Amino acid sequence: MITKPTIYSSKAELIQAATDAIAGAIKNSVAERGTCYVALAGGRSPRDIYARLAISQSDQIPWRDVHLFWGDERAVPPDHPASNYGMARESLLRHIAIPDANVHRISGEMEPGIAASEYTEVIARTLPTSPPRLDLVLLGIGEDAHTASLFPGTDALDEQKEDVTAVFVEKLETWRITMTLQMLNRAREVIFLVSGKSKAGIVQLISRLKAPSKEYPATLIDPNHGDVRWMLDSEAARLIGT
Ligand code: 6PG
């Protein structure tokens, strides 16, 4: 259940390769369709990749034709240290010439249910397709195989109507707002970015699975008419095949 894994010998190599892959996907989308609609991943892993993206390709990426979304957000304001938007603002947004109108953060400071409904509307009115389809989705994976804020055992996994939902995560005792599986699986391309030895166990476990499982939500990411691939550093991938 690890489709198309590419393993890099170090985190530095993964960072550079991921930067190149993201820049390439954006440029291809803009060349083909005039725009690129991207959902950024949260958490810690992507931070260094966003920082590299901000400097290494910035002059070649047509940021004015890119719209940025988030696959999920914590129920916190944008200046809170846990904010996924805040992390991207510090590592990427403040360093690139992207129009403010093209940056669509989830309102983590609002009541989660309202924030989810509002974001559903933002997506629907910003993306040209109906149902709305992202060009590129970046995702991480937790040690419990959650991705975005689709955690095992939560009803967000069963949401079939909405593209964005609010979910209370018991184990974290906190609310999250997340794109749902139907939204994520509509994407043209999904890239999982996985680094560090703390992920080796979960990567090994899901690499052994023969079929997707709700116990491991990341395995449910399988774009209907799109592509999913995994980019891992050697520490995260070290137990694959064992
Ligand atoms: C979040 C992310 C989440 C993240 C994983 C991995 O809001 O935390 O959307 O799905 O990608 O938890 O996080 P790390 O990159 O910090 O290990």
Side-chain angles (χ1 to χ4, degrees):
M1 292 314 299
I2 302 260
T3 36
K4 300 182 192 169
T6 311
I7 299 166
Y8 298 92
S9 59
S10 67
K11 182 165 183 183
E13 282 223 343
L14 169 62
I15 289 168
Q16 188 55 57
T19 298
D20 294 344
I22 295 164
I26 290 173
K27 285 186 265 188
N28 289 344
S29 177
V30 171
E32 284 174 26
R33 293 181 293 276
T35 50
C36 187
Y37 299 96
V38 182
L40 296 178
R44 294 178 304 274
S45 302
R47 182 198 304 269
D48 295 338
I49 296 169
Y50 298 163
R52 177 65 57 82
L53 200 59
I55 54 173
S56 73
Q57 308 250 355
S58 205
D59 51 341
Q60 298 150 39
I61 296 178
W63 289 112
R64 69 192 169 287
D65 300 317
V66 177
H67 284 257
L68 295 178
F69 298 83
W70 276 259
D72 72 319
E73 187 55 278
R74 288 79 180 277
V76 296
D79 295 325
H80 188 283
S83 168
N84 286 336
Y85 162 78
M87 181 273 277
R89 180 182 57 199
E90 289 315 302
S91 56
L92 177 63
L93 303 183
R94 58 200 289 262
H95 306 287
I96 59 174
I98 187 166
D100 290 348
N102 289 23
V103 177
H104 311 280
R105 72 175 182 87
I106 298 170
S107 303
E109 69 279 18
M110 291 173 76
E111 189 278 323
I114 296 173
S117 305
E118 178 206 59
Y119 208 54
T120 297
E121 285 163 27
V122 167
I123 291 170
R125 70 166 177 264
T126 308
L127 272 68
T129 51
S130 180
R133 185 182 193 199
L134 291 161
D135 295 305
L136 176 63
V137 171
L138 305 179
L139 290 173
I141 184 171
E143 293 174 45
D144 60 358
H146 78 264
T147 191
S149 283
L150 298 168
F151 284 80
T154 62
D155 51 14
L157 294 173
D158 300 316
E159 177 56 55
Q160 310 264 332
K161 202 165 65 68
E162 301 300 338
D163 285 342
V164 182
T165 192
V167 54
F168 185 75
V169 185
E170 298 284 346
K171 69 192 291 189
L172 301 177
E173 294 183 6
T174 184
W175 282 91
R176 295 280 188 97
I177 300 104
T178 188
M179 286 184 183
T180 56
L181 286 168
Q182 65 177 28
M183 178 71 202
L184 297 170
N185 279 331
R186 242 183 258 129
R188 294 179 193 276
E189 184 174 6
V190 176
I191 302 178
F192 277 96
L193 304 168
V194 188
S195 64
K197 54 178 173 295
S198 69
K199 305 294 171 71
I202 194 61
V203 167
Q204 177 192 42
L205 189 155
I206 62 175
S207 68
R208 289 174 171 166
L209 292 178
K210 296 285 179 280
S213 163
K214 280 174 72 174
E215 273 186 77
Y216 309 105
T219 65
L220 302 174
I221 298 296
D222 180 16
N224 314 321
H225 305 286
D227 196 41
V228 55
R229 61 180 170 141
W230 292 67
M231 301 180 79
L232 310 101
D233 70 5
S234 51
E235 281 199 335
R238 66 191 174 89
L239 299 176
I240 289 180
T242 58

